[in-house]
């Protein structure tokens, strides 16, 4: 009888064992077999097989933690997603690792409590970027993994949707990368395969994805196994929330509860990072991180501080990542370098005239204590004494007060600081003393998941996108990192396959059309367009075979027929668009007209009406001239040389061609009887690359390469192929004349040559006079606005003082500082800021008389000199007109702007009697106006 209770207990225990999924082994009946957990094999980063074939991911790590806390052995079995559901339904597994609950699944399985979650999205092709709602996608097949919950969730939202099913996630993503899908359902996270993610990101932007639903993931068991459900829930209840957060952050790079990261940034280091006038973060690094957020779909926020406190914020966990910190092998912060975000060039700045004393023992150089180049400075200047300063303002002040000989700091940051504080003219930058600092996004050492996520996100940003951001913030091309790097633009696998399928393509060029394109002595393709071709080869791995032509018209015809595939320096026209494809504009190509020296200058096309105008066959300008100016008698020639000869031989009165080509031709000295005139109606022309339609898919790729070419690179190309020395022709002529006089004996021939040479000499003299006038203008005028600069203003102020002292009359000085200009510069970039300054300069000139002076003083400051003022009221009226006119400037190149001004007014002789004190008084009054809110003027 005593054995009965033990027998009953043993019997009940054996009934319970199968419920928990343990199976007897014939050899070791006392040891339970592991709990079989079936999982999907490619749902990264939640559940997948790693490179060694081992189960990995968020759910796998959660179950391993469950195994530890519940003291239960587990074994993972991987299948395609639908097969994983079948495996559980057929009792070939004990538990499904985790799934979303649907109505169909609820009929087959029982579920444990949710243990994590994920967001599901519809990823929409960029060609459908106007589709913002799920019901907008009814006309398109949506790619889904067979057996996933996406179909049920989407059908519940919009029953009219249609689907295209794939066996696994890899097949689905490959189809999306190959443009076989315009919409597909997916989850948050990113791909293991970087190339695949880049391919998808090129056409499916995370910022445009549509949220389907936030899904709770739950373990599933077969119907009726409540005991196992209870065991699962009990085990997961033992896992701390901190452990779950750590696992999720390890794989996703951020906390799922926030779906975002905090970025620590130091303020006051413009143009890299600072707070704008609106109190919001601004700068080059901020723009790069915002683009990263757009590419990844991960929210970001910024926490500001100084250099040291922001590093501490990351170390203490207050922030997740540092926006960008300077590090070297010698100076490390103790954090992980997650990404090399940029490189900064630091140079030597001094208020002194030269650096001859740099090697003396008495020299004192200012540096930041956190600068990673301190060892390099000590090595370069072993006799120098280094003094450490925590802010740029402290270093500038020390240099200004001769406490240090100079200082080394970021060239871009220092340039911005000096300009903003009106100290630019007092300091000199030494480009030959330069140190490069690598800037890294930093994370904590134990935060490898976030480091991986940062790398994956920045790998989605293209080289041209980085270049555009850099151009916006760094004025000096020498300070730029991305522009000067050898990085190639990133191509998708499909794009690489397309380029490979093309094989060798042919590019036509003219043999004699320097400097744009011409044939060298050894038959090689040379000129600006040859450099463009080489850039396409380098960036796209294209194979391009140059084909030389004598005739432009024949070259265009061959392009249309497909005998060649590319032609550079083509203008886009309506007629050509019917038979050719075109790239974006890559080169300014204004036109000019060549005439004999005896002809009057040509300023507009109307002067050509009734004349014979030679033009190269095939030029698009032929149709334009025929339609708009039927009165012009066109003389069609084969090339530039024939056009020039047509004018010399009298077959034509004039010849039209691109400025660069004509300038190169005329400077050779072979045509002393010709001159060139720019024509206003033909200056706004731009060159493009024309493509045979059979290779039109190259257009977006070529455009990406063109986007990497900035004005500095254009200028370098032009200077490479055009070397124009104003004095060279004159010197060559003088030597030739001396030899001619000595060697020629026939008096009449000598007289003839002297006559011709004198005329040539006059031309050269006029050319030099004009060049000197241009140089003088450039020295005295601002290159952005064309207004007088400070040098010319000082001269006119001195003249005004002498004149008005003699006449005992008054004049006024208005010091104008723009309100709101910095916000425009920060928001839209310096190129928009420059155009705004130019517009303001034109407006100010219209507000005064011709006898008055409007000068750009520096930055966003202007000075107006109003001659012979009768009363203060006249000056007030001018200031009111300026404030009113500034309100009318609301749009610059399609960008909304909102600017006004603070104006200080000083009168001669009431307020001051010297140019310096007049400017100082007007400046002080301007600051008073600004302190009380701006948008007004102040005078005594």
């Amino acid at each position: 009888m005593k054995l009965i209770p033990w027998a009953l207990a043993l019997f009940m225990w054996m009934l319970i064992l199968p419920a928990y999924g343990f199976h007897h082994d014939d050899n070791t009946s006392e040891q339970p077999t592991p709990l079989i957990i079936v999982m999907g094999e490619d749902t990264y980063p939640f559940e997948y097989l790693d490179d060694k074939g081992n189960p990995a991911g968020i759910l796998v790590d959660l179950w391993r933690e469950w195994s530890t806390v519940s003291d239960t052995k587990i074994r993972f079995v991987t299948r395609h997603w639908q097969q994983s559901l079948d495996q559980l339904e057929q009792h070939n597994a004990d538990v499904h690792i985790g799934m979303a609950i649907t109505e169909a699944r609820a009929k087959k399985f029982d579920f444990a409590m949710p243990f994590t979650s994920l967001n599901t999205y519809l990823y929409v092709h960029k060609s459908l970027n106007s589709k913002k709602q799920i019901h907008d996608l009814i006309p398109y097949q949506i790619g889904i993994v067979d057996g996933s919950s996406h179909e049920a969730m989407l059908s519940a939202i919009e029953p009219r949707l249609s689907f295209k099913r794939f066996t696994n996630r890899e097949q689905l993503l490959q189809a999306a990368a190959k443009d076989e899908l315009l919409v597909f359902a997916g989850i948050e996270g990113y791909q293991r395969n970087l190339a695949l993610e880049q391919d998808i990101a090129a056409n499916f932007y995370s910022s445009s994805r549509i949220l389907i639903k936030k899904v709770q993931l739950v373990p599933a068991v077969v119907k009726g196994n409540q005991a196992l459900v209870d065991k699962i829930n009990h085990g997961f209840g033992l896992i701390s929330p901190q452990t779950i957060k750590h696992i999720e952050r390890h794989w996703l790079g951020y906390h799922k509860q926030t779906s975002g990261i905090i970025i620590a940034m130091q303020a006051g280091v413009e143009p890299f990072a600072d707070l704008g006038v609106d109190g919001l973060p601004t700068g080059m690094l901020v723009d790069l991180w915002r683009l990263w957020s757009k590419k990844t779909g991960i929210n970001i926020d910024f926490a500001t501080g100084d250099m040291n406190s922001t590093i501490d914020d990351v170390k203490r966990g207050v922030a997740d990542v540092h926006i960008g910190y300077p590090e070297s092998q010698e100076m490390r912060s103790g954090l992980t370098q997650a990404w090399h975000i940029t490189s900064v060039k630091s140079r030597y700045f001094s208020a002194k005239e030269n650096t001859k004393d740099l090697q003396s023992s008495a020299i004192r150089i200012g540096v930041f204590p956190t600068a990673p180049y301190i060892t390099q400075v000590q090595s370069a200047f072993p006799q120098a004494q280094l003094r450490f300063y925590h802010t740029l303002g402290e270093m500038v002040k020390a240099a200004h007060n001769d406490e240090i000989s100079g200082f080394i700091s970021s060239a871009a940051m220092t340039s911005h600081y000096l300009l903003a504080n009106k100290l630019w003219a007092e300091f000199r930058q030494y480009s030959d003393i330069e140190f490069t600092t690598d800037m890294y996004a930093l994370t904590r050492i134990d935060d490898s998941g976030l480091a991986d996520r940062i790398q994956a996100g920045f790998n989605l940003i293209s080289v041209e996108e980085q270049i555009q951001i850099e151009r916006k913030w760094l004025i000096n091309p020498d300070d730029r990192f991305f522009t000067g790097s050898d990085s190639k633009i990133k191509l998708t696998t499909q794009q690489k396959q397309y380029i490979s399928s093309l094989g060798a393509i042919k590019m036509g060029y003219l043999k004699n059309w320097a400097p744009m394109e011409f044939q060298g002595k050894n038959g090689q393709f040379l000129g600006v367009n040859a450099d463009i071709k080489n850039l396409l080869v380098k960036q796209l791995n294209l194979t391009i075979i140059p084909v030389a032509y004598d005739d432009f018209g024949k070259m265009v015809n061959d392009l249309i027929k497909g005998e060649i595939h590319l032609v550079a320096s083509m203008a886009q026209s309506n007629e050509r668009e019917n038979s050719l494809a075109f790239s974006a504009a890559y080169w300014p190509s204004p036109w000019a007209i060549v005439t004999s020296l005896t002809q009057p200058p040509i300023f507009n096309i109307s002067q050509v009406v009734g004349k014979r105008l030679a033009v190269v066959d095939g030029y698009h300008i032929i149709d334009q001239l025929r339609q708009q100016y039927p009165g012009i008698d066109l003389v069609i020639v084969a090339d530039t040389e024939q056009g020039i000869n047509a004018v010399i031989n009298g077959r034509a009165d004039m010849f039209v061609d691109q400025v660069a080509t004509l300038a190169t031709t005329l400077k050779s000295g072979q045509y002393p009887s010709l001159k060139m005139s720019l024509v206003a109606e033909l200056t706004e022309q731009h060159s493009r690359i024309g493509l045979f339609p059979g290779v039109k898919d190259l257009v977006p790729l070529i455009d990406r390469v063109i986007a990497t070419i900035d004005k500095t690179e254009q200028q370098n190309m032009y200077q490479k192929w055009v070397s124009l020395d104003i004095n060279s022709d004159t010197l060559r002529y003088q030597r030739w004349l001396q030899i001619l006089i000595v060697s020629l004996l026939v008096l009449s021939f000598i007289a003839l040559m002297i006559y011709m040479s004198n005329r040539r000499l006059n031309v050269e003299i006029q050319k030099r006079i004009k060049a000197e006038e241009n140089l003088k203008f450039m020295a005295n005028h601002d290159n952005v606005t064309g207004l007088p600069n400070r040098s010319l203003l000082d001269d006119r102020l001195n003249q005004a003082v002498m004149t008005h002292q003699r006449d005992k009359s008054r004049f006024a000085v208005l010091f104008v500082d723009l309100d709101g200009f910095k916000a425009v510069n920060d928001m839209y970039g310096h190129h928009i800021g420059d155009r705004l300054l130019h517009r303001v300069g034109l407006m100010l000139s219209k507000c005064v008389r011709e006898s008055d002076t409007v000068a750009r003083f520096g930055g966003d400051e202007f000075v107006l000199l109003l001659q012979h003022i009768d009363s203060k009221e006249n000056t007030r009226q001018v200031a009111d007109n300026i404030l009113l006119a500034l309100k009318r400037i609301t749009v610059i190149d399609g960008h909304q702007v909102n600017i006004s001004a603070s104006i200080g007014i000083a009168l001669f002789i009431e307020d001051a009697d010297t140019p310096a004190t007049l400017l100082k008084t007007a400046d002080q009054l301007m600051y008073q106006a600004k302190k009380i809110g701006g948008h007004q003027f102040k005078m005594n």
Side-chain angles (χ1 to χ4, degrees):
M1 294 295 291
K2 293 181 179 180
L3 294 176
I4 293 176
W6 289 102
L8 289 173
L10 179 61
F11 178 75
M12 292 301 294
W13 176 247
M14 294 184 66
L15 288 175
I16 292 172
L17 278 179
Y20 283 125
F22 297 101
H23 305 279
H24 289 289
D25 189 291
D26 293 339
N27 299 321
T28 57
S29 58
E30 298 163 2
Q31 296 293 328
T33 58
L35 194 70
I36 306 301
I37 302 175
V38 67
M39 57 178 277
E41 63 183 7
D42 65 349
T43 310
Y44 183 88
F46 289 86
E47 49 184 300
Y48 73 103
L49 290 178
D50 65 17
D51 294 334
K52 296 180 180 179
N54 297 321
I58 295 174
L59 303 189
V60 172
D61 282 359
L62 287 172
W63 272 102
R64 283 173 175 155
E65 188 67 24
W66 179 91
S67 173
T68 300
V69 298
S70 66
D71 193 26
T72 305
K73 291 184 179 181
I74 59 175
R75 181 164 67 89
F76 295 103
V77 175
T78 58
R79 298 288 186 270
H80 292 322
W81 183 255
Q82 182 58 54
Q83 292 175 355
S84 72
L85 301 180
D86 297 340
Q87 190 91 351
L88 180 63
E89 186 178 3
Q90 295 164 8
H91 295 263
N92 293 325
D94 300 306
V95 186
H96 193 284
I97 194 168
M99 65 175 70
I101 300 175
T102 66
E103 185 177 344
R105 291 172 181 174
K107 295 177 180 179
K108 302 176 182 178
F109 309 123
D110 284 335
F111 303 100
M113 296 297 293
F115 64 149
T116 189
S117 64
L118 57 80
N119 289 329
T120 59
Y121 298 94
L122 284 177
Y123 289 83
V124 182
H125 194 274
K126 62 184 180 182
S127 62
L128 305 179
N129 59 4
S130 62
K131 312 299 182 184
K132 305 298 183 183
Q133 305 294 330
I134 291 178
H135 66 261
D136 294 335
L137 304 173
I138 292 173
Y140 309 97
Q141 272 197 322
I142 298 174
I144 60 170
V145 175
D146 190 25
S148 69
S149 61
H150 293 133
E151 182 173 356
M153 288 187 291
L154 288 167
S155 296
I157 298 171
E158 177 51 71
R160 293 173 292 175
L161 293 173
S162 59
F163 302 95
K164 184 174 183 179
R165 296 168 183 81
F166 294 84
T167 303
N168 55 52
R169 193 183 187 201
E170 179 74 12
Q171 291 180 3
L172 169 66
L173 296 177
Q174 290 290 353
K178 295 175 182 177
D179 283 345
E180 296 172 4
L181 288 172
L182 292 178
V183 186
F184 69 91
I187 60 175
E188 61 184 305
Y190 58 106
Q191 316 305 325
R192 294 176 62 206
N193 185 332
L194 175 60
L196 179 59
E197 182 167 19
Q198 289 175 341
D199 289 356
I200 294 173
N203 292 318
F204 295 86
Y205 304 151
S206 290
S207 56
S208 301
R209 64 191 180 183
I210 302 172
L211 178 66
I212 303 173
K213 188 178 180 181
K214 182 174 183 178
V215 175
Q216 299 293 328
L217 294 183
V218 296
V221 301
V222 292
K223 274 288 186 181
N225 200 345
Q226 187 59 42
L228 182 53
V229 170
D230 293 340
K231 181 176 177 65
I232 292 171
N233 288 336
H234 177 71
F236 279 113
L238 298 176
I239 303 175
S240 69
Q242 290 74 20
T243 300
I244 295 175
K245 284 183 179 179
H246 177 76
I247 292 172
E248 290 175 343
R249 185 179 178 89
H250 171 74
W251 287 102
L252 293 173
Y254 56 88
H255 290 152
K256 289 185 62 59
Q257 287 73 14
T258 60
S259 295
I261 62 172
I262 304 297
I263 301 174
M265 61 166 273
Q266 64 273 30
V269 287
E270 190 180 14
F272 300 104
D274 202 359
L275 294 177
V277 292
D278 54 3
L280 298 177
T282 183
M284 190 184 87
L285 296 181
V286 173
D287 280 2
L288 283 170
W289 274 103
R290 284 177 174 153
L291 183 57
W292 179 91
S293 175
K294 181 179 179 181
K295 295 283 187 179
T296 61
I298 298 175
N299 297 325
I300 60 172
D301 201 359
F302 296 93
T304 58
D306 59 31
M307 186 70 80
N308 293 325
S309 68
T310 52
I311 286 293
D312 289 340
D313 285 346
V314 178
K315 290 180 177 179
R316 292 185 294 112
V318 176
D320 301 301
V321 58
H322 195 282
I323 192 170
Y325 191 81
E327 286 202 333
S328 67
Q329 293 300 322
E330 293 79 16
M331 297 190 68
R332 297 293 296 271
S333 63
L335 296 171
T336 296
Q337 295 177 353
W339 185 256
H340 177 201
I341 194 165
T342 190
S343 291
V344 176
K345 295 179 181 178
S346 298
R347 301 192 184 94
Y348 182 77
F349 288 81
S350 175
K352 297 183 177 181
E353 291 298 321
N354 58 65
T355 55
K356 292 181 179 179
D357 59 346
L358 275 175
Q359 301 301 326
S360 71
S361 58
I363 187 174
R364 297 182 297 275
I365 299 177
V367 293
F368 292 114
T370 56
Y373 46 75
I374 290 176
T375 303
Q376 295 172 266
V377 175
Q378 291 172 329
S379 176
F381 308 106
Q383 301 299 321
Q385 302 174 24
L386 300 188
R387 292 196 175 180
F388 298 104
Y389 299 88
H390 290 286
T391 68
L392 179 58
E394 292 174 356
M395 281 201 293
V396 171
K397 183 178 180 181
H400 200 270
N401 295 336
D402 287 333
E403 297 173 13
I404 54 177
S405 303
F407 60 88
I408 296 172
S409 176
S410 159
M413 184 177 73
T414 305
S415 298
H416 275 74
Y417 181 89
L418 295 176
L419 285 169
N421 291 275
K422 305 178 182 65
L423 296 170
W424 178 255
E426 301 180 26
F427 283 82
R428 179 182 172 188
Q429 177 181 187
Y430 292 84
S431 58
D432 55 332
I433 305 175
E434 181 179 280
F435 304 92
T436 300
T437 302
D438 294 332
M439 304 282 288
Y440 294 93
L442 303 177
T443 60
R444 291 181 292 278
I445 295 176
D446 60 349
D447 217 347
S448 60
L450 178 57
D452 292 342
R453 193 69 188 93
I454 289 170
Q455 293 174 17
F458 276 111
N459 273 316
L460 299 181
I461 299 176
S462 68
V463 173
E464 54 268 34
E465 287 173 322
Q466 293 171 326
I467 288 174
Q468 291 298 328
I469 290 176
E470 191 174 54
R471 287 178 189 167
K472 171 184 173 182
W473 290 102
L474 303 187
I475 306 173
N476 185 356
D478 292 337
D479 296 339
R480 297 171 186 165
F481 167 68
F482 299 118
T483 304
S485 69
D486 293 327
S487 301
K488 295 176 67 174
I489 65 174
K490 298 169 184 174
L491 301 177
T492 67
T493 303
Q494 188 178 5
Q495 289 167 340
K496 292 176 183 177
Q497 291 172 348
Y498 170 68
I499 290 174
S500 177
S501 70
L502 292 176
I505 60 175
K506 298 178 181 179
M507 181 173 186
Y509 74 95
L510 292 176
K511 293 180 180 178
N512 187 22
W513 202 51
M516 297 306 297
E517 55 189 35
F518 59 97
Q519 192 171 57
K521 293 181 180 179
N522 298 321
Q524 68 271 43
F525 178 20
L526 301 175
V528 170
N529 289 334
D531 284 354
I532 298 297
K533 184 268 291 182
N534 293 336
L535 196 58
L536 294 177
V537 170
K538 173 186 174 183
Q539 289 284 9
L540 302 178
N541 286 328
L542 279 170
T543 301
I544 300 178
I545 301 173
V547 180
Y549 283 83
D550 294 308
D551 184 280
F552 183 80
K554 184 179 187 311
M555 182 169 65
V556 173
N557 288 333
D558 283 356
L559 179 64
I560 294 172
K561 291 186 292 184
E563 295 184 12
I564 55 176
H565 306 92
L566 304 176
V567 169
S569 288
M570 289 193 71
Q572 189 173 5
S573 65
N574 292 335
E575 183 180 356
R576 286 179 175 173
E577 286 178 349
N578 294 328
S579 53
L580 296 173
F582 287 91
S583 74
Y586 72 92
W587 199 268
S589 53
W591 296 71
I593 288 180
V594 166
T595 63
S596 65
L597 288 172
T598 58
Q599 292 281 347
I602 304 297
F603 298 108
N604 54 67
I605 289 292
S606 61
Q607 294 176 261
V608 186
V609 175
K611 305 287 186 180
R612 295 168 301 163
L613 178 65
V615 60
V616 173
D617 185 24
Y619 278 6
H620 82 285
I621 200 173
I622 293 176
D623 293 330
Q624 180 182 347
L625 292 172
R626 282 174 175 165
Q627 293 172 9
Q628 298 180 11
Y629 304 95
I632 298 176
D633 183 11
L634 297 181
V635 179
I636 307 302
V637 295
D639 54 30
T640 301
E641 184 178 357
Q642 284 192 20
I644 294 286
N645 289 330
V647 177
I648 293 174
N649 299 331
R651 286 200 309 117
D653 302 306
M654 307 166 186
F655 171 59
V656 62
D657 208 330
Q658 290 190 7
V659 169
T661 302
L662 292 178
T664 302
T665 303
L666 295 183
K667 87 176 184 67
S668 66
Q670 299 178 37
Y671 307 104
S673 63
L674 300 180
K675 65 180 180 182
M676 182 177 71
S677 301
L678 285 173
V679 182
E681 293 96 327
L682 302 178
T683 55
E684 295 298 321
Q685 304 284 332
H686 291 85
S687 290
R688 303 171 187 268
I689 297 175
L691 296 88
F692 172 63
V695 295
K696 66 180 180 180
D697 288 343
L698 277 176
V699 169
L701 301 179
I702 291 175
D703 287 349
R704 290 179 62 187
V705 176
I706 289 172
T708 66
I709 306 172
D710 62 5
K711 292 181 180 178
T712 302
E713 191 165 356
Q714 286 180 340
Q715 185 177 11
N716 292 338
M717 287 182 184
Y718 188 80
Q719 290 176 345
K720 173 182 176 181
W721 297 108
V722 180
S723 55
L724 179 58
D725 183 353
I726 295 174
N727 296 319
S728 62
D729 290 344
T730 304
L731 295 174
R732 185 167 59 249
Y733 156 76
Q734 290 172 342
R735 291 194 297 269
W736 170 78
L737 181 60
Q738 292 169 357
I739 296 171
L740 183 67
I741 293 174
V742 173
S743 61
L744 296 181
L745 301 176
V746 181
L747 186 59
S748 59
F749 188 61
I750 292 177
L752 176 63
M753 295 307 299
I754 291 175
Y755 168 75
M756 295 296 296
S757 300
N758 281 336
R759 186 170 68 173
R760 174 66 187 282
L761 183 59
N762 288 333
V763 173
E764 296 297 336
I765 291 172
Q766 292 301 317
K767 184 191 296 184
R768 184 160 188 175
I769 290 172
K770 185 176 181 180
E772 289 172 351
E773 289 174 349
N774 289 337
L775 291 173
K776 185 177 180 181
F777 181 88
M778 292 170 62
N780 291 306
H781 290 77
D782 174 55
N783 64 341
V784 174
T785 63
L787 296 173
N789 59 16
R790 187 168 181 177
S791 174
L792 185 54
L793 173 67
D794 289 342
D795 181 64
R796 293 188 179 178
L797 277 172
N798 287 320
Q799 293 294 329
V801 169
M802 290 188 292
T803 300
H804 290 77
Q805 277 179 338
R806 183 181 65 244
D807 298 341
K808 296 183 179 180
S809 58
R810 285 193 276 186
F811 71 89
V813 173
L814 279 68
F815 204 107
V816 181
D817 185 275
L818 298 182
D819 299 326
F821 175 76
K822 187 176 185 298
V824 174
N825 241 10
D826 291 346
M827 188 173 300
Y828 304 125
H830 294 284
H831 64 293
I832 297 298
D834 287 348
R835 292 176 186 177
L836 175 57
L837 290 173
H838 184 266
R839 176 88 168 270
V840 170
L842 292 175
M843 179 276 296
L844 291 174
S845 299
K846 292 179 181 179
C847 291
V848 300
R849 301 161 298 183
E850 290 187 7
S851 59
D852 299 330
T853 295
V854 178
R856 186 183 177 198
F857 196 74
D860 58 354
E861 297 174 336
F862 297 83
V863 172
L864 281 65
L865 192 164
L866 307 183
Q867 305 275 8
H868 298 288
I869 295 298
D870 295 330
S871 66
K872 286 187 176 182
E873 184 57 36
N874 292 344
T875 309
R876 292 192 187 99
Q877 186 60 53
V878 172
D880 278 333
N881 291 342
I882 291 172
L883 294 174
L884 184 61
L886 284 171
K887 290 183 179 179
R888 300 192 189 105
I889 301 177
T890 58
V891 178
I892 299 293
D893 282 4
H895 300 290
Q896 295 292 325
V897 298
N898 182 20
I899 61 166
S900 185
S902 300
I903 304 174
I905 304 174
L907 295 177
F908 177 87
I909 191 168
E910 291 97 320
D911 297 321
D913 59 359
T914 66
T917 52
L918 277 166
L919 281 173
K920 184 177 180 180
T921 301
D923 189 22
Q924 290 172 344
L925 290 167
M926 180 273 292
Y927 273 109
Q928 292 179 24
K930 187 172 285 290
K931 283 182 179 179
I932 57 178
H935 314 292
Q936 57 191 295
F937 64 86
K938 185 79 173 175
M939 64 188 303
N940 292 325

